[in-house]
Amino acid sequence: MEEFDIAFYWQAADYIRGIIRETPDVAVVLGSAMGPFTNKIRNTVEIDYADIPNFPVSTVAFHAGKLVFGTLGTKKVLCMSGRFHAYEGYNAVLLSMPVRVFHLLGVKQTILTNAAGAVNLSYAPGDVMIISDHIKLSSQSPMIGPNIPAFGDRFFDVSDMYTASLRKTALNCAKHSPLRFHEGVYMYFAGPQFETPAEIRMARILGADAVGMSTVPEALTAAHCGMPVLGFSVITNMAAGIVKEATLSHEEVANTMAVVNERFSDYLEEVINAI
Ligand code: HPA
């Protein structure tokens, strides 16, 4: 199968490199409704996912489906506006594609962002959680199938996957932001349904602070190829069953993001300059 051959990823990387013609310092994957962050990037070049060989296309509302490359402060940034999720029906291995392509392009560190529901009762919508670790009980790893040794070993360590030094910088930058920050554990549910109240109670017992449907496949891919990673969850809602009679919806997620987008984008810009 072609996704078990490194050429599959090189074809995408070569196409992108032919257009951007530079090595990005940092890659950023934007979560739901975080697209406006790309307005901060200067001298941009945009590439539609549909034009990149072998690249999946994103099918979710509030996810644009393009790469935006350009300058942010002193850094060259490659930004994914729109990401791929397991619930869209992609084979798990395809979820490794973006980070593997970043790696082949020479990207040295990746920032993953997402919208998430709060499990921790002391969190509130609009807060930001710096991801310290994750829990994934369900669904396949993107590293299933024949290993590609050029990316990493068959069995790989994930005990420091959310790189401690990057988290320290992220916490320092948080001092200058009007947003409220936490460090916590993200629990992955493949979706597309939101979780049940019982699943959220389980998540809390297991030590999760927030839940969401993304980021973990990309973080695992980064760990496999030895790339430092920093993850942020923007809390868009309290998770299922916490607020009585509340109904979860993608609109609620997008509405909260719309309120905090500007402040979160300012923060992200500071982090990118600092790392
Ligand atoms: N659950 C899962 N994913 C999410 C949520 C949630 O409550 N909010 C935003 N993304």
Side-chain angles (χ1 to χ4, degrees):
M1 297 245 286
E2 53 186 0
E3 63 268 31
F4 297 118
D5 180 348
I6 196 167
F8 183 75
Y9 305 91
W10 269 122
Q11 283 163 9
D14 284 342
Y15 177 83
I16 296 164
R17 197 196 303 274
I19 294 173
I20 67 177
R21 302 189 165 278
E22 284 178 281
T23 300
D25 299 301
V26 188
V28 183
V29 179
L30 294 177
S32 283
M34 292 184 187
F37 172 75
T38 58
N39 295 334
K40 288 190 165 287
I41 305 174
R42 298 283 159 249
N43 306 316
T44 52
V45 183
E46 296 191 0
I47 307 174
D48 280 339
Y49 295 165
D51 294 333
I52 305 171
N54 309 330
F55 226 64
V57 286
S58 63
T59 64
V60 192
F62 311 113
H63 281 266
K66 61 184 182 184
L67 282 178
V68 181
F69 174 75
T71 309
L72 188 67
T74 58
K75 298 271 186 350
K76 298 284 177 195
V77 179
L78 181 64
C79 198
M80 273 188 80
S81 186
R83 62 139 61 85
F84 314 119
H85 310 80
Y87 62 72
E88 292 171 84
Y90 303 117
N91 150 354
V93 180
L94 268 187
L95 299 179
S96 72
M97 180 104 194
V99 174
R100 284 182 163 173
V101 168
F102 297 160
H103 175 70
L104 295 178
L105 287 170
V107 169
K108 291 287 175 291
Q109 44 205 354
T110 289
I111 299 178
L112 304 173
T113 65
N114 62 55
V119 173
N120 188 316
L121 299 174
S122 72
Y123 291 11
D127 290 357
V128 178
M129 184 181 86
I130 300 168
I131 303 176
S132 58
D133 204 348
H134 78 229
I135 301 172
K136 177 177 90 64
L137 296 180
S138 60
S139 77
Q140 292 171 320
S141 165
M143 270 70 248
I144 56 163
N147 187 45
I148 305 177
F151 285 123
D153 295 337
R154 167 82 297 181
F155 301 105
F156 56 106
D157 183 44
V158 291
S159 32
D160 183 32
M161 62 189 310
Y162 298 95
T163 313
S165 55
L166 293 179
R167 282 192 275 136
K168 196 167 165 210
T169 305
L171 268 178
N172 267 329
C173 295
K175 291 177 192 152
H176 312 138
S177 169
L179 297 171
R180 196 162 72 126
F181 283 80
H182 313 275
E183 240 188 321
V185 174
Y186 179 85
M187 185 158 180
Y188 179 68
F189 286 85
Q193 70 286 350
F194 290 107
E195 301 72 30
T196 65
E199 285 167 341
I200 295 304
R201 289 195 296 276
M202 172 193 75
R204 191 175 303 116
I205 290 165
L206 295 183
D209 297 293
V211 288
M213 307 176 196
S214 68
T215 302
V216 163
E218 295 133 347
L220 290 170
T221 307
H224 186 236
C225 65
M227 191 191 294
V229 90
L230 182 58
F232 296 106
S233 292
V234 174
I235 302 300
T236 52
N237 56 280
M238 298 310 286
I242 295 178
V243 181
K244 296 295 164 239
E245 286 156 37
T247 310
L248 301 183
S249 71
H250 199 42
E251 282 66 37
E252 179 187 6
V253 170
N255 289 342
T256 308
M257 277 312 310
V259 173
V260 297
N261 235 326
E262 198 172 317
R263 281 173 282 175
F264 183 64
S265 294
D266 288 346
Y267 169 72
L268 213 48
E269 179 175 17
E270 186 176 343
V271 170
I272 289 167
N273 276 319
I275 62 177

